[in-house]
């Protein structure tokens, strides 16, 4: 009887301590916290559908540039740890239905040694608005452990907000 009682008390103590490890920084699932939303200041509108001048009438000698525009709002940012790196998964709502070639594009001007900033962009046509569910899309990007070295915050920008997640 004493032995089963001591085993019961010991197992109860071990199980109650699991809750404190779940919320600690030792758990790798807690390395990036929940994302937060912040408003974005409106910038000068550039129409991505108007092409830039070409060097020649037969070809464009410059590097290929992705001409996607920012989606309306980033609603969710999830960073999933995987062996060898992490997957950044951003979900957002576009202003119109039917965008394609969704990408997370790195913004070098706003990224530094401890912050990575990405813009959630898509090629969008002038279509009908539709319901919010039909305008919700997700894009993901894999970053290696070398890319994440020293990074404390990851930010994803939309047209009207910025979502960020910190370690």
């Amino acid at each position: 009887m004493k032995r089963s009682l001591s085993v019961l008390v010991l197992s109860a103590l071990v199980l109650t301590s699991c809750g404190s490890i779940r919320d600690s920084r030792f758990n790798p699932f807690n390395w990036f916290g929940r994302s937060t939303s912040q408003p974005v200041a409106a910038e000068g509108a550039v129409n991505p559908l108007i092409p830039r001048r070409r060097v020649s009438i037969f070809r464009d000698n410059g590097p290929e540039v992705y001409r996607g525009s920012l989606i309306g709002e980033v609603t969710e940012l999830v960073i999933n740890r995987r062996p060898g790196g992490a997957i950044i998964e951003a979900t957002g709502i576009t202003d119109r239905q039917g965008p394609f070639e969704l990408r997370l594009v790195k913004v070098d001007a706003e990224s530094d040694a401890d912050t990575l900033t990405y813009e959630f962009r898509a090629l969008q046509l002038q279509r009908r608005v539709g319901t919010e569910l039909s305008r919700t899309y997700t894009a993901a990007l894999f970053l290696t452990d070398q890319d994440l070295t020293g990074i404390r915050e990851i930010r994803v920008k939309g047209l009207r907000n910025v979502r960020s997640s910190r370690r």
Side-chain angles (χ1 to χ4, degrees):
M1 180 71 182
K2 287 184 180 181
R3 184 177 197 152
S4 62
L5 183 62
S6 62
V7 168
L8 181 65
V9 170
L10 182 64
S11 63
L13 287 174
V14 168
L15 287 176
T16 57
S17 67
C18 289
S20 63
I21 298 231
R22 180 190 68 205
D23 298 329
S24 73
R25 298 190 64 75
F26 294 115
N27 186 351
F29 291 109
N30 294 336
W31 287 354
F32 286 99
R34 293 182 179 239
S35 62
T36 57
S37 179
Q38 301 156 353
V40 173
E43 296 179 14
V46 176
N47 190 346
L49 300 176
I50 299 175
R52 294 197 172 117
R53 290 189 165 269
R54 294 179 178 233
V55 177
S56 168
I57 61 171
F58 298 110
R59 68 172 175 253
D60 186 6
N61 293 332
E64 184 177 339
V65 177
Y66 178 67
R67 299 189 187 277
S69 59
L70 288 170
I71 67 160
E73 182 179 348
V74 181
T75 57
E76 184 179 9
L77 175 63
V78 179
I79 300 171
N80 297 316
R81 295 290 297 175
R82 295 291 179 251
I87 297 174
I88 300 172
E89 185 178 337
T91 303
I93 300 172
T94 60
D95 293 334
R96 303 218 175 249
Q97 286 181 339
F100 56 98
E101 283 194 45
L102 294 118
R103 294 184 188 177
L104 293 174
V105 180
K106 185 176 180 183
V107 182
D108 291 326
E110 297 180 19
S111 298
D112 55 21
D114 51 336
T115 303
L116 283 177
T117 302
Y118 290 92
E119 290 181 339
F120 194 172
R121 295 185 166 269
L123 295 176
Q124 302 181 49
L125 302 175
Q126 292 298 323
R127 294 194 175 163
R128 60 185 175 167
V129 175
T131 64
E132 186 175 299
L133 184 62
S134 68
R135 296 179 288 125
T136 302
Y137 295 91
T138 301
L141 177 70
F142 181 78
L143 295 176
T144 63
D145 285 333
Q146 290 80 15
D147 295 335
L148 293 172
T149 302
I151 300 299
R152 306 293 296 159
E153 179 180 17
I154 295 176
R155 303 173 70 212
V156 177
K157 292 177 62 175
L159 187 62
R160 291 182 288 277
N161 73 333
V162 175
R163 276 213 162 308
S164 61
S165 182
R166 293 178 170 262
R167 276 194 208 211

